[in-house]
Amino acid sequence: SSGINAEYGETEEDFNETLSLIEHYKFPSLFINQFFPRPGTPAARMKRIPADQVKKRTKQANTIFQSQFPYNDKIGEVQTVLVTELASDGVHYVGHNKFYDQVLVPKKERYLGNTLNVKITEAGKHFMKCCVLDEGSKMSVPSSYSNPNQLRYSGTKKLVQRLLLERNITRPIFLILIAGITIQFLYIVYRANYKD
């Protein structure tokens, strides 16, 4: 999710509502951007919020976001993940559940390209770790993939295809929905403030 902080006309009440939203939804990822008017646009002529206030608000929003661990309530859950790639730590593989959340899986080559039933044992800010309960099923992979590292790209694509077939909302679709809602919201705010 993304948020624009200290947009022209943002009141203290507006900002507090934004903080409440962040506290309530505990977003797994959140990009907090400071409002900056582009030269030559109507926003460039509007009165801006003082820079020290912008920095203060950005820090407050970021502090709340950084203090949250949205996956803690997932500890103990059983999930199905598709293992798609080597994790950046080099010690785990990355699996994705039906919400495309990142689940770190023990690095065993036979897991790559497989769906696994796992139990979440640990959670961090941007990930979950698990123990494998059973190995589920092998995804069909073209025989041309002799190098397991090539599965990194096809596995992610297969996951998205599989989720679409199951009619679950994938992260890309979710992001498109959020972008559409954001655009609608900004249009409503613009119309409310500049009816001429």
Side-chain angles (χ1 to χ4, degrees), residues 98-167:
K98 68 180 179 179
F99 301 107
Y100 206 71
D101 296 323
Q102 182 172 288
V103 180
L104 297 178
V105 176
K107 185 180 173 186
K108 294 185 179 177
E109 194 163 318
R110 70 179 185 272
Y111 292 164
L112 198 58
N114 279 323
T115 56
L116 306 173
N117 293 315
V118 301
K119 183 174 185 176
I120 304 302
T121 58
E122 183 182 338
K125 177 70 178 157
H126 301 287
F127 68 90
M128 293 173 273
K129 287 185 181 177
C130 67
C131 65
V132 176
L133 299 176
D134 65 71
E135 296 189 22
S137 62
K138 179 80 174 166
M139 295 298 289
S140 60
V141 178
S143 59
S144 59
Y145 289 109
S146 58
N147 180 353
N149 290 328
Q150 290 176 310
L151 291 174
R152 171 181 191 173
Y153 304 103
S154 66
T156 302
K157 182 178 178 184
K158 286 180 183 296
L159 174 65
V160 171
Q161 290 170 339
R162 184 173 175 197
L163 291 173
L164 286 171
L165 289 173
E166 292 175 2
R167 297 184 189 263

Side-chain angles (χ1 to χ4, degrees), residues 20-190:
S20 295
L21 188 77
I22 295 169
E23 288 172 349
H24 178 76
Y25 286 102
K26 296 178 177 53
F27 299 104
S29 65
L30 179 64
F31 300 98
I32 302 167
N33 301 294
Q34 294 179 0
F35 173 73
F36 182 80
R38 292 186 178 176
T41 64
R45 297 187 298 272
M46 296 175 189
K47 184 178 178 186
R48 293 181 62 184
I49 295 173
D52 61 330
Q53 189 68 22
V54 172
K55 288 179 185 178
K56 179 183 170 195
R57 289 181 182 183
T58 303
K59 185 175 181 179
Q60 280 180 278
N62 195 46
T63 298
I64 292 170
F65 170 68
Q66 292 301 331
S67 72
Q68 297 172 329
F69 291 84
Y71 298 122
N72 282 352
D73 64 336
K74 304 293 184 196
I75 294 173
E77 262 188 26
V78 174
Q79 300 184 358
T80 300
V81 299
L82 174 62
V83 182
T84 58
E85 61 197 284
L86 181 64
S88 60
D89 67 5
V91 178
H92 297 90
Y93 282 132
V94 175
H96 295 281
N97 62 19
K98 68 180 179 179
F99 301 107
Y100 206 71
D101 296 323
Q102 182 172 288
V103 180
L104 297 178
V105 176
K107 185 180 173 186
K108 294 185 179 177
E109 194 163 318
R110 70 179 185 272
Y111 292 164
L112 198 58
N114 279 323
T115 56
L116 306 173
N117 293 315
V118 301
K119 183 174 185 176
I120 304 302
T121 58
E122 183 182 338
K125 177 70 178 157
H126 301 287
F127 68 90
M128 293 173 273
K129 287 185 181 177
C130 67
C131 65
V132 176
L133 299 176
D134 65 71
E135 296 189 22
S137 62
K138 179 80 174 166
M139 295 298 289
S140 60
V141 178
S143 59
S144 59
Y145 289 109
S146 58
N147 180 353
N149 290 328
Q150 290 176 310
L151 291 174
R152 171 181 191 173
Y153 304 103
S154 66
T156 302
K157 182 178 178 184
K158 286 180 183 296
L159 174 65
V160 171
Q161 290 170 339
R162 184 173 175 197
L163 291 173
L164 286 171
L165 289 173
E166 292 175 2
R167 297 184 189 263
N168 289 320
I169 295 178
T170 62
R171 178 168 274 167
I173 292 171
F174 176 75
L175 292 175
I176 290 168
L177 290 172
I178 293 299
I181 291 167
T182 303
I183 290 167
Q184 287 179 337
F185 173 75
L186 292 174
Y187 178 73
I188 291 167
V189 169
Y190 175 80

